[in-house]
Amino acid sequence: ARRALRHKNLKFVPVGVKRTITAAGLRAIAQRASAILMKRDCRGDVPCQFRLSPHPDFRLYPQHTGQISTKADINQLLSSNRADVSIVESISPDACPADGEGTVWGCATATWILVVADRVKMPWILAHEYGHLSGLNHRDEKCALMHSYYDEANLALDQWECDQIHYPNDNPPRPSAPQNAPGRPGR
């Protein structure tokens, strides 16, 4: 069933990042992340009518280096920073274990998101990590936004995932096999 457009204000806080991040830049990143959620990209993908935007209370948090190397770094950051989304310089796999090897671009729990300050990847990372914030796990299928590895072609959400983003605490468990598994167009 198609859902009405829902909206979520997220409080973003750049944490010790060296790049200039402005409120207008964050709005553009949130708009691109929302477009990823709303666009139908692959077979089995549903356009999820959900818009992310930065909360008007935008502040820098320069007291931290922005280097997240350990879980203790995350705890220190979260104890003094009440953001929904913290934008950092880097995240070590020791701080936020990934599903495999490679660069960690973001991580999330049910209450916060960390994203690495990368203008190209940030919209995808934000959309993906917001999925985790909503209770979604990784789904290793071609084209899935919730795939464990970054790929600009991984943009698809199935209907259950869209419902979970809309109403995180109101959905039955995921069926064992998703219907109409996404695949790249034309395949």
Side-chain angles (χ1 to χ4, degrees):
R2 186 167 182 176
R3 303 254 188 201
L5 179 66
R6 299 247 340 194
H7 185 253
K8 173 70 175 169
N9 269 333
L10 295 171
K11 184 176 178 189
F12 287 81
V13 176
V15 178
V17 292
K18 297 176 181 104
R19 297 161 191 84
T20 301
I21 298 177
T22 64
L26 285 178
R27 278 193 303 277
I29 288 165
Q31 287 171 348
R32 290 197 316 262
S34 298
I36 289 169
L37 295 174
M38 289 191 240
K39 188 177 177 193
R40 181 179 217 133
D41 303 288
C42 303
R43 193 178 14 176
D45 185 15
V46 298
C48 193
Q49 300 299 309
F50 199 87
R51 181 174 48 225
L52 301 169
S53 65
H55 188 278
D57 182 19
F58 171 71
R59 297 182 188 165
L60 294 173
Y61 183 72
Q63 295 88 349
H64 196 281
T65 65
Q67 310 291 324
I68 306 298
S69 300
T70 65
K71 290 182 181 179
D73 289 342
I74 293 174
N75 293 336
Q76 176 198 10
L77 175 63
L78 296 177
S79 69
S80 57
N81 171 17
R82 298 289 179 239
D84 298 310
V85 181
S86 295
I87 303 166
V88 298
E89 278 294 313
S90 65
I91 303 169
S92 162
D94 293 335
C96 239
D99 291 350
E101 296 179 17
T103 303
V104 178
W105 292 105
C107 65
T109 69
T111 58
W112 53 263
I113 297 172
L114 290 176
V115 296
V116 172
D118 181 295
R119 292 181 196 266
V120 174
K121 294 178 178 73
M122 259 178 83
W124 183 90
I125 298 165
L126 178 58
H128 175 92
E129 297 303 337
Y130 190 78
H132 287 311
L133 188 79
S134 300
L136 300 180
N137 292 318
H138 287 150
R139 180 167 60 100
D140 288 328
E141 294 183 30
K142 287 182 181 180
C143 222
L145 174 66
M146 295 311 298
H147 197 282
S148 56
Y149 290 98
Y150 169 79
D151 182 332
E152 63 187 32
N154 291 347
L155 304 171
L157 290 171
D158 64 22
Q159 187 62 58
W160 185 87
E161 289 168 326
C162 182
D163 291 345
Q164 187 72 14
I165 284 174
H166 274 266
Y167 302 101
N169 301 316
D170 249 3
N171 288 295
R174 181 190 253 304
S176 56
Q179 298 174 349
N180 298 328
R184 301 213 190 275
R187 289 190 184 168

